[in-house]
Amino acid sequence: MGDDYEEVGNHFVTHYFTTFDNDRSELAPLYNENSVCTYEGEQMKGQEQIMTYLTEKLSFRQVAHEGTTIDCQPVYDGGVFITVMGQLKPDDDPVLPFVQSFMLQQDGEGSWFILHEVFRIVVHNG
C-alpha cells in the first residue's frame, strides 16, 4: 500500500465528517452487511441497523465535527486503520471531545467501506 494509506485515511475522514454534518443519510454507501459500529457502547451490525441508528436514534438535529488529530496505519491485508480525536458541537449543546476509530477495507470492486467503527464521547470522571 505504500504511503497511500495516509491519503486514503485523511480523504476518508474529511468525506465522512462533511457528510455526517450535512446529511447523515448519505453515509449509507460507506457501510455494507459486514460493517460493525459501536456508538457510545451500543453495537450495530450491517448497513440497515447502522443507518437506522445514525439517522433515527441520535437525538441531535445539527452537528459540526472538527478532527484535531488523525492517525492512520496500514493493515496487513490492505485495509486502513484510522483514529480521530476531535470535538463536536451538537445543536446548541456545549462542544464535546470525542474519539472515533475506523477500519476501512476495499470491496471486490475496489471501493472503500467501513468494516469496523467505534465512537466515544471523551468524559473525564473524577
Side-chain angles (χ1 to χ4, degrees), residues 17-28:
F17 289 131
T18 300
T19 305
F20 193 107
D21 293 352
N22 292 316
D23 184 358
R24 284 175 274 198
S25 69
E26 296 294 320
L27 292 172

Side-chain angles (χ1 to χ4, degrees), residues 70-115:
I70 301 169
D71 296 304
C72 306
Q73 295 180 348
V75 180
Y76 74 95
D77 61 357
V80 179
F81 179 73
I82 306 164
T83 299
V84 180
M85 292 182 67
Q87 298 180 333
L88 64 90
K89 173 98 175 71
D91 294 328
D92 293 326
D93 294 337
V95 172
L96 300 167
F98 75 92
V99 64
Q100 191 163 7
S101 296
F102 303 93
M103 175 70 72
L104 303 183
Q105 288 294 114
Q106 285 186 299
D107 62 19
E109 298 170 14
S111 295
W112 292 97
F113 72 95
I114 301 168
L115 182 60

Side-chain angles (χ1 to χ4, degrees), residues 37-43 84-88 96-101 117-123:
C37 175
T38 302
Y39 203 95
E40 285 293 297
E42 187 167 342
Q43 190 172 92
V84 180
M85 292 182 67
Q87 298 180 333
L88 64 90
L96 300 167
F98 75 92
V99 64
Q100 191 163 7
S101 296
E117 175 181 5
V118 178
F119 173 89
R120 280 284 182 179
I121 296 293
V122 178
V123 179

Side-chain angles (χ1 to χ4, degrees), residues 22-69:
N22 292 316
D23 184 358
R24 284 175 274 198
S25 69
E26 296 294 320
L27 292 172
L30 297 177
Y31 301 99
N32 66 26
E33 69 277 357
N34 297 311
S35 299
V36 178
C37 175
T38 302
Y39 203 95
E40 285 293 297
E42 187 167 342
Q43 190 172 92
M44 297 131 291
K45 184 169 189 326
Q47 182 189 58
E48 184 176 341
Q49 282 186 6
I50 294 168
M51 291 308 301
T52 297
Y53 185 86
L54 294 179
T55 59
E56 297 176 20
K57 305 275 174 141
L58 294 179
S59 61
F60 50 82
R61 295 277 180 217
Q62 295 180 322
V63 65
H65 287 84
E66 181 181 339
T68 53
T69 62

